[in-house]
Structure formats: structure tokens, C-alpha cells
Amino acid sequence: MANGDIPVANPPPLASHLPDNVLELATKLEWKPLPADLRDALRGFQRAACYIAAAMIFLRDNVLLESDLQFDHVKPRLLGHWGTCPGIILVWSHLNLLIRNHDLDMIYVIGPGHGAPASLAALWLEGSLERFYPGEYDRDATGLWNLITRFSVPGGFPSHINAETPGSIHEGGELGYALAVSFGAVMDKPDLVVACIVGDGEAETGPTATAWHAIKYLDPKESGAVIPILHLNGFKISERTIFGCMDDKELVCLFSGYGYQVCIVDDLDNINDELYSAMEWALGEVKKIQKAARSGDPIVKPRWPMIVLRTPKGWGGPKEVDGKIIEGSFHSHQVPLSKANNDDTQLKALNDWLSSYKIGEVLPEGEPAESILSTLPRNDEKKLGQLKVTYDPYVTLKTVKWEDFAVEKNKDQSCMKVTGEYLDKVFQENPTTIRLFSPDELESNKLDAILDHTQRDFQWDQFSRANGGRVIETLSEHNCQGFMQGYTLTGRTAIFPSYESFLGIVHTMMVQYSKFVKIANEVKWRGDLASINYIETSTWARQEHNGFSHQNPSFIGAVLNIKAQAARVYLPPDANCFLSTVAHILHSRNKTNLLIGSKQPTAVYLSASEAAEHCRVGASTWNFASSSPENPDVVLVGIGVETTFEVVKAAELLRAICPKLRVRVVNVTDLMILIAESKHPHALSRDKFIELFTEDKPVFFNYHGYPTELQGLLFGRPGLERMSVRGYQEEGTTTTPFDMMLVNGVSRFDAAKWALKKGSEANQDVDASLVGEIDRRVKEVQQFIKDNGKDPDDIYQLPERVEG
């Protein structure tokens, strides 16, 4: 087969060797024919929407086919994805009926987000585009012309579903996490149903593979339901799909094992009758499961319903063009007639295809026929594009005073331990509007105080089921991210704590979400959202016991690269600063917050009031650690818990061995203040930056992350040549905590040696030869670690404070 072409359309899967009786696990519906007028109305919706979707890809004029198509009616650049559109539209038309018949609150999450033409066509038909874009996409001939001709051109809707799309809570770019987002959306929303269509290409992704397990974390007493619809059209961009090559027995066995009841819909001649029955069955099963749970007799391991829908890729499009099969093959994935703007044969094929929908019947005068309108939900607020929870859902949290959990300064305390105690109270005060999603690390990360008044939520565990737990622990970062997104996008607040090294797993998911929120903030009809909140702990600086694989602070850079309006990276230096920052982010909106702290007990430098002020300004001079805060020879800057401790201890060491050296110690807790003025809302003014870091003195930044990140942030600041940046250097193994400081060049000794060398250049009373004394101490510590397998006992003694 040349170029991988397959010689038949819609090829069936090879037969498996599974026994036939496994099909008894599937649901076999005795569907009844729909009333003829209802079936015709459904087909009318589908024809109209499919025509509009196809026209959006191709036409820039003659959008109602008032004459045969000419080349100048076709767009010069043909952009869009046709293959998935008929399936999306088919499901949309039936969800309309389900909502109309049962007065449902329903969201349609579309995994194949490249099928934006399908979504936009349906939204125009139901009047949602007119509501949110009045005068632009009205439900009349002018609005239809605008929709079709502006698609995928500057000023129009983009080729993928995004925040400009009414009803959308999922960025339609990267595939894989529509299902997890759907489950997060229904948590603590007992009346909400999400229909999630998962393409069979998306179903091959790792995030989707693990998201099928999400039913195991859904308590039907307190939460809504997801109806997954696996859409098998058999092809990806240029290859058949795994699921499309599985026969019914394989599909039924797989999804029955996951915990689903499977209903297969594949009778193309009676697809509307069969799908209507399947939708009614699925909703009935959902209600049955919820009724049992809400009446106090929950079903143990309920088999939640799901639908497997088999339809040809590009159904209804051209059958064959230039000797290549189009409908039922990968050739229909994007633009099935890519030369329609310059090839007579393809232009005629386009004309024949679009004419086949007979739009004069379904779009008379460019408006939806009355029969189409009869299939829509009667209440506009229930339409898939207009449910309020999809565009203006935010619910504020009841405030809990973090100061009540503050600890005494000049002591050691774990940032995570006190944060767990604080969050325990936050969860008590907000029992249905905040959740924590964690990849099985709550105890390890010392946040377990959260469980003092709540529990874990795992419905397949007899010890964690049906108890209203606020904590979901699943060893899938993808699920945690997807759950957090869905929960946040429907108005609530979520926290995602993780080992630092493994947050990178969800890097691109975080970026896609941030893109969605960026556009949402620019769309006037969308309201605010809570921020998404990451807590990184078990950082490289204290992962010496797990080794090199667990030492990776790269997620900082991922957050730094998103838009400045959203990016927030905080490295609070002690427990009180961490508490203050957590309290802040829980009430922030539309941000991507990353907090980095230590789970081990570390020094507490600031009282509650001092911490609040320090966090408010983002950085400050620490007089208690400085020998000459007003007129320094050098400035030592700590950014991060352990790296700040080393700076403070370096200053202490220098006071002892070289009291003539004038040292200012600065801590930065809000990383974004360092960015050049005007490039970030938190950036220090030039005058403030100079006030803090001086105009001409050498500055040593001891940074928790990769040095190149900080160097990039500082670019544009005055006097870069005087600044030295140290940070994690990709050095590590299973060793001791202080050895990790040494091998990465961020120890107190490294900071002190730099300070002596730089200080001696401006202060003749500073003896640079004292570097030799520091080298001697380094060797002593290294030998002790080698001989004893641990750090010296005094290495983490609290630093002495400078009086005055």
C-alpha cells in the first residue's frame, strides 16, 4: 500500500481470541424507533451543523450556496479538522434532547478539541454565540456569514476549542486530559453531569489511560457524574488507532475491568435511535447509583455507564478524491479537499459535498429551521453553551487567619507541618469548595495534619469510601492536574502538593491550562477563577536519601515561561512566611502559583507580623543577619529555604573570621520582583531594586533553582557584571543534606569564599587569604561526612542574630 493508504473505507478490527460470552458484560439495549418527526429534527440539526462546520473550513463567500462554488469562494488557506466533527455533532444533538427531557445541568467536554468547527456550528444553532457575541454571530444570515468566513483567520475563532468558545472548560490543544478534567468538574457538584467525548486517538495517551480510573474517586453522594463517550472513528492523522483496531470483546473486557458498564453504539443505519436509547440508559444508571448513595445505601463498586460510539471518520464527507479514500480513512482527518481553491475536480467535489446537506431545508434564509429549534433545551440557561458554571462559577473561600497557626521565631519548624495544620482548618471552614489532589505523598510531605478532620476519598477502598473525604491521593500526576483543572474551572479552589522533581510530568498540562486562562481573562463574558496552586516540597536540597533521580527543580522554569500576568513563583524562607503565602494564594485569582518549601524542620527567622510584611513586599534586607546593612561591601542574597539558611550561616561565619567585612543579607521570597521593571506586575522599580541590592556593590545570589533561570530574570537590571548567581548544578546522589550544598556550590563556605574575594577588592581591611581557612573547614566537614555517613551535628544550629 503506497504511502500507507488502506484499500477499504472504515476497515473492521481483526477478531480477537476472547470467548464470545464476555460480551454478556456489555449492555444490550432493546432500542425502539424514534418518532419520525423527532428523528427528522435530529437529522436536521446534524445536517445543518455538519454543513456549517465544513463550510467554516472552506468558504469565504457564497456561504448559503446561492450558486455553484467558484475558486474565489474558497479560502486561500484551508485550516481546520473535519474528521472528528460529525461524531461531535451527533453527540451534541443527543445531549440537547437529554437536557430538554430531563432539565439537566450538563457540560460537554470535547477531548478532540481540534473539532472546533463542530462545536462552533452547534453553538451558533442553539443561539449561544449570539448571546455572548451579540451583533457579531447572531442567529441570522449575517451572523452565519461572519462565523463561516472568519473561522481560522485573524479576528475570527481559532481552529481549536479555547476559552472564547462558550461552554468550554477545556483547552482543545494537547490531547489526553479531557476525562480527568471532566471528573474534577463534577466533584462536589451533585447535580452536574459532564458528557465527555474521548477520541480514539486521545485514548492512546497516558493521561487518558489513567483517567479511566477516576470513577474510583467519585462519591455519588456528594458529586455529580461523568458519562464517558469513547468515539471510535478508527484513525489518527495518518494511522489507525489502537482502540479502533480492538473488537467489541476486547473493548468490553477492558472497560469492564476499569469498572464500567459498556454500551456499544454502532448501527449506522439506525444511529439516532440507538444513541438516543443509550443516552437515556446512561443517565438512568447514573441516577440509580446516585439515589442509592444519597439514600444511605451506596452501591459498592458501582459499574458506571459509558458509551462506545463507532462511526466513520469524516462521516458524510467526500467518499473518494483523486483515487484516495476520504470518508472512513485518515485522509479526512484535517482538510479532505486540500486543493479545492485551485483544482477543478476538488472544487466540484466540495460543491457536491456541501450541496448534499440541502441547507435550504435546514437553514432557510440563513436561519435554523423550526424543527431544529424544537430539539434544543427549552431553558436557554441550560444550553450547553450557556450553563453558568462554565463561564462565571467562582466561589470565594471563607477566610481563616493564618496568624493563628504561626510559630515562634528563633525556633526550628517544618513549613509543611504548620501548613497542614492551617489547611486542616481551611478545609473545615470550606467543606465543599476546596480539595487537595496529591500523588500519594501527603504523609511523606508532612501535610498529614489535613487529615485530622477529613479523610481520603477512594471509593474502591472500604476504609476510605463514602466518608466525604477532601483529599484524593492517586499516583498519577496527570490525574491530579486534570482533577485540579476541572475543579477550578467550575468555581472551586484546589491545591496540588508534590515532590519537586515530579511536577515536571504535568509541565505541558500546566502550560495548556495557563493558555486557557490567559484567553479567558481577555474574554469579557468570562468571570474570574481561583488560581491553580502547586506546593513543591521534598526538594532537591533534601532528597539526598532518594538520590539523583529525585533532584530536579525544573518546574520553576516552566512557570516562569508563561505570561507574566499569571506566573507566580514563591520561595518563602521559613514556616511563617510559607503560611502567609499559602493564605494569599488561596484567595488569589487567575494565577498559576508555585510555592516551594521544606518539609524538614528549618529555622524560623520572622514573627507573624514580620513575615506578613516581608511577603507583602517580596524581599527585604535582614538586619538581624547583616553586619552592615546600611553600607555593605557585599550583598548576600538567599532565595529558597536551604539556600537562604546557607547565606545566613555564611554571614555568621564571616562575622567570626573577618569582622571588618561589611555584609548585607537579603532574602527574596517572591521571585518575580527581580524581573526588570515593566515586565511583571510584581517587579521592583529601578529605585527599589537599587535600594535593596545597591547600585555598584557585588551581589551573590544563592538560588534554589537553576542559575540560568535567575540570570534570565535579572537581565535588564543595572550592573549585571557585579552579580554572581549560584544554584542547583545537576550534581547529586544519595548523600547527606549538607554534601548536596557543597557539590552544587551553594553552601555557606562557597558564599563566604566569594564574599572574601569580592570584599577584599573594595575593603583593604579584608584579608582574602582567609579563603584558605574556609577551604580547611570544607575539608574537615567532607572528611566527617565520609567517616560518619552524616553531617556534623552542629551544621544546622540556628544562626546567631545580630543585635541592634
Side-chain angles (χ1 to χ4, degrees):
M1 293 179 295
N3 300 319
D5 281 348
I6 293 171
V8 296
N10 210 34
L14 295 171
S16 67
H17 296 285
L18 292 167
D20 291 342
N21 64 357
V22 299
L23 289 174
E24 295 174 9
L25 294 169
T27 295
K28 289 292 184 183
L29 298 176
E30 303 248 341
W31 57 266
K32 297 179 180 178
L34 289 170
D37 59 342
L38 180 56
R39 189 188 304 109
D40 289 345
L42 280 170
R43 282 295 300 134
F45 182 97
Q46 294 154 17
R47 283 164 50 200
C50 283
Y51 170 78
I52 296 169
M56 288 167 69
I57 296 172
F58 288 96
L59 299 186
R60 66 173 177 178
D61 202 353
N62 193 18
V63 300
L64 293 178
L65 300 185
E66 294 168 309
S67 62
D68 287 344
L69 290 177
Q70 306 296 320
F71 287 136
D72 60 0
H73 297 154
V74 183
K75 293 177 179 177
R77 297 179 71 232
L78 299 178
L79 302 173
H81 296 73
W82 164 251
T84 190
C85 286
I88 293 171
I89 288 167
L90 175 66
V91 171
W92 196 302
S93 65
H94 282 269
L95 296 180
N96 283 339
L97 283 183
L98 207 62
I99 297 167
R100 188 196 71 176
N101 294 345
H102 299 277
D103 195 34
L104 295 178
D105 287 347
M106 177 171 274
I107 300 173
Y108 188 13
V109 172
I110 298 174
H114 49 277
S119 177
L120 293 167
L123 289 165
W124 182 84
L125 286 170
E126 71 178 30
S128 293
L129 290 187
E130 182 174 30
R131 173 178 174 182
F132 292 110
Y133 299 94
E136 190 171 5
Y137 298 116
D138 292 349
R139 202 159 44 174
D140 57 24
T142 301
L144 183 59
W145 192 91
N146 289 341
L147 177 63
I148 289 173
T149 61
R150 294 180 185 177
F151 176 72
S152 276
V153 300
F157 285 109
S159 63
H160 287 59
I161 292 170
N162 73 344
E164 295 167 281
T165 312
S168 171
I169 61 165
H170 176 55
E171 181 75 16
E174 180 176 293
L175 298 176
Y177 46 97
L179 198 56
V181 168
S182 299
F183 278 98
V186 301
M187 291 176 184
D188 299 321
K189 292 281 188 184
D191 299 323
L192 183 63
V193 179
V194 172
C196 178
I197 186 169
V198 178
D200 48 353
E202 177 174 24
E204 296 182 6
T205 64
T208 299
T210 191
W212 293 112
H213 289 292
I215 51 172
K216 301 174 176 70
Y217 298 95
L218 198 65
D219 185 345
K221 180 179 180 180
E222 64 190 12
S223 294
V226 176
I227 300 176
I229 302 163
L230 177 61
H231 183 210
L232 303 185
N233 62 29
F235 291 90
K236 304 187 286 284
I237 292 176
S238 61
E239 169 68 296
R240 295 182 72 185
T241 63
I242 293 172
F243 289 85
C245 290
M246 295 172 70
D247 69 9
D248 289 354
K249 291 184 288 187
E250 292 170 314
L251 291 167
V252 168
C253 285
L254 175 65
F255 289 104
S256 295
Y258 274 126
Y260 292 92
Q261 285 188 80
V262 183
C263 180
I264 297 175
V265 176
D266 59 0
D267 184 347
L268 298 185
D269 291 332
N270 300 286
I271 198 73
N272 282 304
D273 306 270
E274 192 174 18
L275 186 54
Y276 177 87
S277 295
M279 290 284 194
E280 290 289 340
W281 161 80
L283 184 61
E285 291 300 305
V286 164
K287 297 296 185 184
K288 184 190 307 178
I289 293 167
Q290 291 177 338
K291 181 179 180 181
R294 296 169 190 181
S295 62
D297 188 22
I299 300 168
V300 176
K301 292 188 176 181
R303 292 182 66 202
W304 289 88
M306 70 168 289
I307 295 170
V308 174
L309 176 64
R310 286 191 189 270
T311 65
K313 196 173 187 78
W315 196 16
K319 303 290 185 186
E320 187 175 309
V321 176
D322 295 335
K324 291 183 178 181
I325 296 170
I326 304 297
E327 182 191 75
S329 85
F330 64 81
H331 290 297
S332 66
H333 179 78
Q334 292 183 333
V335 181
L337 299 169
S338 59
K339 300 177 182 177
N341 53 14
N342 58 31
D343 180 276
D344 288 325
T345 300
Q346 291 203 10
L347 179 65
K348 183 180 184 306
L350 176 61
N351 193 86
D352 292 345
W353 169 22
L354 295 182
S355 297
S356 71
Y357 294 111
K358 299 179 180 178
I359 62 165
E361 298 174 2
V362 294
L363 294 169
E365 306 296 327
E367 299 181 3
E370 284 299 321
S371 60
I372 290 176
L373 300 179
S374 71
T375 67
L376 302 177
R378 297 180 180 90
N379 180 352
D380 284 347
E381 302 297 322
K382 299 282 188 175
K383 290 176 179 175
L384 289 170
Q386 300 184 39
L387 194 68
K388 186 178 180 182
V389 75
T390 64
Y391 67 90
D392 188 20
Y394 181 58
V395 178
T396 58
L397 292 175
K398 182 177 178 181
T399 300
V400 173
K401 287 187 62 178
W402 67 268
E403 293 88 348
D404 293 344
F405 299 85
V407 293
E408 185 180 349
K409 69 180 181 182
N410 302 325
K411 303 285 186 182
D412 284 335
Q413 184 55 273
S414 162
C415 297
M416 297 305 128
K417 184 177 184 299
V418 295
T419 297
E421 294 168 355
Y422 168 68
L423 290 176
D424 172 43
K425 184 63 173 178
V426 172
F427 279 44
Q428 291 179 63
E429 295 297 320
N430 300 275
T432 61
T433 52
I434 186 169
R435 280 187 183 247
L436 183 143
F437 305 105
S438 171
D440 189 37
E441 295 158 355
L442 205 63
E443 298 274 354
S444 174
N445 286 334
K446 302 189 185 301
L447 289 165
D448 49 293
I450 294 171
L451 298 172
D452 286 352
H453 294 90
T454 188
Q455 299 182 53
R456 293 178 176 87
D457 179 349
F458 181 24
Q459 298 305 302
W460 280 35
D461 174 9
Q462 64 266 44
F463 305 110
S464 300
R465 62 183 297 272
N467 59 29
R470 300 283 86 203
V471 173
I472 289 181
E473 287 196 285
T474 174
L475 237 173
S476 164
E477 285 81 1
H478 292 120
N479 265 350
C480 292
Q481 175 73 23
F483 292 163
M484 174 170 67
Q485 289 181 199
Y487 199 72
T488 303
L489 286 165
T490 48
R492 286 74 57 77
T493 303
I495 306 169
F496 181 174
S498 174
Y499 277 25
E500 176 181 65
S501 56
F502 302 129
L503 265 181
I505 292 169
V506 299
H507 175 170
T508 57
M509 292 180 71
M510 178 275 293
V511 171
Q512 292 281 312
Y513 176 84
S514 298
K515 291 176 184 294
F516 186 95
V517 174
K518 174 193 178 295
I519 298 300
N521 288 336
E522 297 168 3
V523 174
K524 61 184 180 181
W525 47 264
R526 283 192 180 268
D528 286 336
L529 296 166
S531 300
I532 55 170
N533 305 302
Y534 301 96
I535 293 178
E536 275 188 357
T537 186
S538 296
T539 66
W540 68 265
R542 294 307 304 263
Q543 276 293 324
E544 74 290 338
H545 58 295
N546 278 325
F548 201 27
S549 65
H550 284 55
Q551 297 157 1
N552 175 8
S554 63
F555 197 67
I556 298 173
V559 176
L560 292 178
N561 283 331
I562 66 175
K563 293 295 288 187
Q565 295 95 320
R568 301 290 185 270
V569 179
Y570 301 100
L571 297 103
D574 68 8
N576 286 338
C577 291
F578 205 90
L579 278 173
S580 174
T581 308
V582 170
H584 167 72
I585 66 167
L586 290 182
H587 292 275
S588 72
R589 303 184 189 185
N590 308 315
K591 307 297 187 294
T592 296
N593 293 315
L594 173 61
L595 277 70
I596 303 161
S598 178
K599 66 183 182 182
Q600 303 297 341
T602 54
V604 179
Y605 309 101
L606 305 178
S607 67
S609 59
E610 291 167 341
E613 177 60 17
H614 180 58
C615 293
R616 186 188 68 81
V617 297
S620 62
T621 298
W622 281 5
N623 293 343
F624 66 84
S626 305
S627 60
S628 181
E630 299 301 326
N631 184 31
D633 297 318
V634 295
V635 181
L636 300 182
V637 185
I639 310 176
V641 174
E642 291 83 7
T643 46
T644 293
F645 184 78
E646 292 304 307
V647 160
V648 174
K649 292 296 281 187
E652 180 185 57
L653 172 61
L654 291 167
R655 291 197 301 273
I657 67 171
C658 188
K660 297 290 188 179
L661 178 65
R662 299 187 295 269
V663 177
R664 175 189 292 179
V665 172
V666 172
N667 175 259
V668 175
T669 183
D670 179 354
L671 192 60
M672 316 316 281
I673 67 153
L674 298 176
I675 299 176
E677 189 175 6
S678 82
K679 293 185 178 180
H680 194 279
H682 289 194
L684 292 177
S685 68
R686 190 179 190 278
D687 289 345
K688 287 289 185 182
F689 187 89
I690 291 172
E691 180 183 324
L692 197 58
F693 300 108
T694 77
E695 189 166 19
D696 55 1
K697 298 297 191 285
V699 184
F700 180 92
F701 288 93
N702 214 31
Y703 174 52
H704 176 85
Y706 290 105
T708 51
E709 294 166 352
L710 191 56
Q711 290 163 352
L713 293 181
L714 291 168
F715 186 79
R717 288 299 190 178
L720 285 180
E721 70 282 352
R722 64 194 173 96
M723 299 179 188
S724 176
V725 178
R726 302 286 180 89
Y728 179 63
Q729 299 284 350
E730 282 291 331
E731 295 292 342
T733 181
T734 301
T735 183
T736 69
F738 190 69
D739 192 45
M740 284 296 296
M741 301 291 105
L742 289 170
V743 298
N744 283 285
V746 293
S747 75
R748 63 199 68 176
F749 299 131
D750 295 289
K753 287 166 62 177
W754 176 92
L756 286 170
K757 291 176 182 177
K758 292 296 183 181
S760 67
E761 296 174 3
N763 185 342
Q764 62 183 5
D765 293 329
V766 175
D767 182 1
S769 67
L770 288 170
V771 167
E773 166 62 15
I774 295 178
D775 286 336
R776 182 189 66 77
R777 296 192 185 199
V778 170
K779 290 178 181 178
E780 284 182 357
V781 171
Q782 289 175 325
Q783 190 62 47
F784 182 92
I785 292 171
K786 182 177 180 181
D787 293 342
N788 296 276
K790 68 171 188 173
D791 292 327
D793 293 338
D794 62 350
I795 209 78
Y796 292 110
Q797 283 183 356
L798 289 170
E800 294 183 4
R801 299 174 71 91
V802 177
E803 300 300 328

